[in-house]
Amino acid sequence: DVARGAPEEAGDMPEGAGSNLDDWLASAKWNVRAFAYQHVACGIFRLANSQHMQEHEAEWARFTAAVTKGLGESNVQALQKALNAAHELLEYAPLPLCDLLAS
């Protein structure tokens, strides 16, 4: 049972964003990184609401790594999106991954 609604979708990809999550997270542009963190928040929510969420360890690990990176974000607007993703992760991820985020 889901306690909250889905996060707002990331919207249109910023120009020159690259083609995948790794490119977005490595971008020098804060708005691209913010897009990436919002994409991660939505991905976490969708994964948590899938029927076989426990079977997607690689995806959970990828999202956890993205959130961990985001918590060190230097841009306030991108950091806000990373914090939203962290909230989704703490709400829905398997407990061992939440422990990783806390350490």
Side-chain angles (χ1 to χ4, degrees):
D1 190 24
V2 176
R4 301 178 308 115
E8 184 178 327
E9 288 295 327
D12 293 334
M13 184 182 308
E15 190 173 320
S19 61
N20 60 52
L21 182 60
D22 292 332
D23 291 344
W24 303 337
L25 292 171
S27 177
K29 297 179 180 180
W30 71 264
N31 63 331
V32 174
R33 295 189 313 275
F35 173 86
Y37 300 128
Q38 192 63 32
H39 176 81
V40 167
C42 293
I44 290 168
F45 183 84
R46 282 190 293 275
L47 188 56
N49 287 286
S50 70
Q51 288 188 335
H52 305 287
M53 72 175 259
Q54 299 295 336
E55 296 174 11
H56 299 279
E57 288 181 36
E59 256 185 294
W60 280 116
R62 193 165 149 235
F63 289 150
T64 303
V67 169
T68 301
K69 176 179 174 47
L71 294 178
E73 183 60 57
S74 61
N75 179 277
V76 174
Q77 291 171 311
L79 177 59
Q80 181 61 50
K81 298 296 184 180
L83 290 171
N84 291 344
H87 186 259
E88 293 296 321
L89 187 75
L90 292 171
E91 179 84 21
Y92 299 115
L95 189 56
L97 292 176
C98 294
D99 289 343
L100 281 176
L101 187 62
S103 60

